[in-house]
Coordinates of all heavy atoms in Angstrom, one line a residue:
Chain A
L13 N -91.2 -181.6 -141.6 CA -90.7 -180.4 -140.9 C -90.7 -180.6 -139.4 O -91.6 -181.3 -138.8 CB -91.7 -179.2 -141.1 CG -91.5 -178.4 -142.4 CD1 -92.6 -177.3 -142.4 CD2 -90.1 -177.8 -142.5
V14 N -89.6 -180.2 -138.8 CA -89.5 -180.2 -137.3 C -89.3 -178.8 -136.9 O -88.3 -178.1 -137.3 CB -88.4 -181.1 -136.8 CG1 -88.3 -181.1 -135.3 CG2 -88.5 -182.5 -137.4
K15 N -90.1 -178.3 -136.0 CA -90.1 -176.9 -135.5 C -90.2 -176.9 -134.0 O -90.7 -177.9 -133.4 CB -91.2 -176.1 -136.1 CG -91.1 -176.0 -137.6 CD -89.9 -175.2 -138.1 CE -89.9 -175.0 -139.6 NZ -88.7 -174.2 -140.0
R16 N -89.7 -175.8 -133.4 CA -89.8 -175.7 -132.0 C -91.0 -174.9 -131.6 O -91.5 -174.1 -132.3 CB -88.6 -175.0 -131.5 CG -87.3 -175.7 -131.6 CD -86.1 -175.1 -130.9 NE -84.9 -175.8 -131.1 CZ -84.5 -176.9 -130.4 NH1 -85.3 -177.4 -129.5 NH2 -83.4 -177.5 -130.7
T17 N -91.5 -175.2 -130.4 CA -92.7 -174.5 -129.8 C -92.4 -173.0 -129.9 O -91.3 -172.5 -129.5 CB -92.9 -174.9 -128.4 OG1 -93.2 -176.3 -128.3 CG2 -94.1 -174.2 -127.8
G18 N -93.4 -172.2 -130.4 CA -93.3 -170.8 -130.4 C -92.8 -170.2 -131.8 O -92.9 -169.0 -132.0
E19 N -92.2 -171.1 -132.6 CA -91.8 -170.7 -133.9 C -92.9 -170.3 -134.8 O -94.0 -170.9 -134.7 CB -90.9 -171.8 -134.6 CG -89.5 -171.8 -134.1 CD -88.7 -172.7 -135.1 OE1 -88.3 -172.3 -136.1 OE2 -88.5 -173.9 -134.7
K20 N -92.7 -169.4 -135.8 CA -93.7 -169.2 -136.8 C -93.3 -170.1 -138.0 O -92.2 -170.2 -138.4 CB -93.6 -167.7 -137.3 CG -94.7 -167.3 -138.2 CD -94.7 -165.8 -138.4 CE -95.9 -165.3 -139.2 NZ -95.9 -163.8 -139.3
V21 N -94.4 -170.8 -138.4 CA -94.2 -171.9 -139.4 C -95.0 -171.6 -140.7 O -96.1 -171.2 -140.6 CB -94.6 -173.3 -138.9 CG1 -94.3 -174.4 -139.9 CG2 -93.8 -173.6 -137.6
F22 N -94.3 -171.8 -141.8 CA -95.0 -171.6 -143.1 C -95.1 -172.9 -143.9 O -94.0 -173.5 -144.1 CB -94.3 -170.5 -144.0 CG -94.3 -169.1 -143.4 CD1 -93.4 -168.7 -142.5 CD2 -95.2 -168.2 -143.8 CE1 -93.4 -167.4 -141.9 CE2 -95.3 -166.9 -143.3 CZ -94.3 -166.5 -142.4
L23 N -96.3 -173.3 -144.3 CA -96.4 -174.4 -145.1 C -96.9 -173.9 -146.5 O -97.9 -173.2 -146.5 CB -97.4 -175.4 -144.6 CG -97.1 -176.0 -143.2 CD1 -98.1 -177.0 -142.8 CD2 -95.7 -176.6 -143.1
E24 N -96.2 -174.3 -147.5 CA -96.5 -173.8 -148.9 C -97.1 -174.9 -149.7 O -96.8 -176.0 -149.7 CB -95.2 -173.3 -149.5 CG -94.4 -172.3 -148.7 CD -95.1 -170.9 -148.6 OE1 -96.0 -170.6 -149.4 OE2 -94.7 -170.1 -147.8
C25 N -98.0 -174.4 -150.6 CA -98.7 -175.3 -151.5 C -98.9 -174.6 -152.8 O -99.3 -173.5 -152.9 CB -100.1 -175.7 -150.9 SG -101.1 -176.7 -152.0
V26 N -98.6 -175.3 -153.9 CA -98.7 -174.8 -155.3 C -99.5 -175.8 -156.1 O -99.2 -177.0 -156.1 CB -97.4 -174.5 -155.9 CG1 -97.5 -174.0 -157.3 CG2 -96.6 -173.5 -155.1
Q27 N -100.5 -175.3 -156.9 CA -101.2 -176.2 -157.9 C -101.0 -175.6 -159.3 O -100.9 -174.4 -159.4 CB -102.7 -176.4 -157.5 CG -103.4 -175.1 -157.2 CD -104.2 -174.6 -158.4 OE1 -104.3 -175.2 -159.5 NE2 -104.9 -173.4 -158.2
D28 N -101.0 -176.6 -160.2 CA -100.7 -176.1 -161.6 C -101.9 -176.2 -162.6 O -101.7 -176.2 -163.8 CB -99.5 -177.0 -162.1 CG -99.9 -178.5 -162.3 OD1 -101.0 -178.9 -162.0 OD2 -99.0 -179.2 -162.7
M29 N -103.1 -176.4 -162.0 CA -104.3 -176.6 -162.9 C -105.2 -175.4 -162.9 O -106.4 -175.6 -163.3 CB -105.0 -177.9 -162.5 CG -104.3 -179.1 -163.0 SD -104.2 -179.1 -164.9 CE -105.9 -179.3 -165.3
D30 N -104.8 -174.3 -162.4 CA -105.6 -173.1 -162.5 C -107.0 -173.2 -161.7 O -108.0 -172.7 -162.1 CB -105.9 -172.7 -164.0 CG -106.3 -171.2 -164.1 OD1 -105.7 -170.4 -163.4 OD2 -107.2 -170.9 -165.0
H31 N -106.9 -174.0 -160.7 CA -108.1 -174.2 -159.9 C -108.4 -173.0 -159.0 O -107.5 -172.4 -158.4 CB -107.9 -175.4 -158.9 CG -108.1 -176.7 -159.6 ND1 -107.8 -178.0 -159.0 CD2 -108.5 -177.1 -160.8 CE1 -108.1 -178.9 -159.8 NE2 -108.5 -178.4 -161.0
E32 N -109.7 -172.7 -158.9 CA -110.1 -171.6 -158.1 C -110.0 -171.9 -156.6 O -109.7 -171.0 -155.8 CB -111.6 -171.2 -158.4 CG -111.8 -170.5 -159.7 CD -111.9 -171.4 -160.9 OE1 -111.7 -172.7 -160.8 OE2 -112.1 -170.9 -162.0
N33 N -110.3 -173.1 -156.2 CA -110.4 -173.4 -154.8 C -109.2 -174.1 -154.3 O -108.6 -175.0 -155.0 CB -111.6 -174.4 -154.6 CG -112.9 -173.8 -155.0 OD1 -113.1 -172.6 -155.1 ND2 -113.8 -174.7 -155.3
M34 N -108.8 -173.7 -153.1 CA -107.6 -174.4 -152.5 C -108.0 -174.5 -151.0 O -108.7 -173.7 -150.4 CB -106.3 -173.6 -152.7 CG -105.9 -173.6 -154.1 SD -104.2 -172.9 -154.4 CE -103.2 -174.3 -153.8
F35 N -107.5 -175.6 -150.4 CA -107.8 -176.0 -149.1 C -106.6 -176.5 -148.3 O -105.7 -177.0 -148.8 CB -108.8 -177.3 -149.1 CG -110.0 -177.1 -150.0 CD1 -109.9 -177.1 -151.4 CD2 -111.2 -176.9 -149.4 CE1 -111.1 -177.0 -152.1 CE2 -112.4 -176.7 -150.1 CZ -112.3 -176.8 -151.5
W36 N -106.7 -176.3 -147.0 CA -105.8 -176.9 -146.0 C -106.5 -177.7 -145.0 O -107.5 -177.3 -144.4 CB -105.0 -175.8 -145.3 CG -103.8 -175.3 -146.0 CD1 -103.6 -174.1 -146.6 CD2 -102.5 -176.0 -146.2 NE1 -102.4 -174.0 -147.2 CE2 -101.7 -175.2 -147.0 CE3 -102.0 -177.3 -145.9 CZ2 -100.4 -175.5 -147.4 CZ3 -100.8 -177.6 -146.2 CH2 -100.0 -176.8 -147.0
Y37 N -106.1 -179.0 -144.9 CA -106.6 -179.9 -144.0 C -105.5 -180.4 -143.1 O -104.3 -180.4 -143.4 CB -107.2 -181.2 -144.7 CG -108.4 -181.0 -145.5 CD1 -108.4 -180.6 -146.8 CD2 -109.7 -181.3 -144.9 CE1 -109.6 -180.4 -147.5 CE2 -110.9 -181.1 -145.6 CZ -110.8 -180.7 -146.9 OH -112.0 -180.5 -147.6
R38 N -105.9 -180.8 -141.8 CA -105.0 -181.6 -141.1 C -105.6 -183.0 -140.8 O -106.8 -183.1 -140.7 CB -104.6 -180.9 -139.7 CG -105.6 -180.8 -138.7 CD -105.1 -180.2 -137.4 NE -104.4 -181.1 -136.6 CZ -103.8 -180.9 -135.4 NH1 -103.7 -179.6 -135.0 NH2 -103.2 -181.8 -134.7
Q39 N -104.7 -183.9 -140.8 CA -105.1 -185.3 -140.6 C -104.5 -185.9 -139.4 O -103.2 -185.9 -139.2 CB -104.6 -186.1 -141.9 CG -105.1 -187.6 -141.8 CD -104.6 -188.3 -143.1 OE1 -103.7 -187.9 -143.8 NE2 -105.2 -189.5 -143.3
D40 N -105.3 -186.4 -138.5 CA -104.9 -187.1 -137.3 C -105.5 -188.4 -137.2 O -106.7 -188.6 -137.5 CB -105.2 -186.2 -136.1 CG -104.6 -184.8 -136.2 OD1 -103.3 -184.8 -136.0 OD2 -105.3 -183.8 -136.4
P41 N -104.8 -189.4 -136.6 CA -105.4 -190.8 -136.5 C -106.7 -190.8 -135.8 O -106.8 -190.2 -134.7 CB -104.3 -191.5 -135.8 CG -103.0 -190.8 -136.0 CD -103.4 -189.3 -136.2
G42 N -107.7 -191.5 -136.4 CA -109.0 -191.6 -135.7 C -109.9 -190.4 -135.9 O -111.1 -190.4 -135.5
L43 N -109.3 -189.3 -136.4 CA -110.1 -188.1 -136.6 C -110.4 -187.8 -138.1 O -111.2 -186.8 -138.4 CB -109.5 -186.9 -135.9 CG -109.3 -187.0 -134.4 CD1 -108.5 -185.7 -133.9 CD2 -110.6 -187.1 -133.7

Side-chain angles (χ1 to χ4, degrees):
Chain A
L13 276 179
V14 180
K15 298 292 182 181
R16 295 192 182 277
T17 300
E19 278 193 81
K20 190 169 186 176
V21 182
F22 293 85
L23 303 183
E24 306 287 344
C25 175
V26 177
Q27 52 97 1
D28 66 357
M29 281 300 290
D30 204 35
H31 281 173
E32 285 82 356
N33 302 336
M34 296 189 75
F35 305 77
W36 276 106
Y37 288 87
R38 69 175 278 176
Q39 181 180 18
D40 300 287
L43 297 178

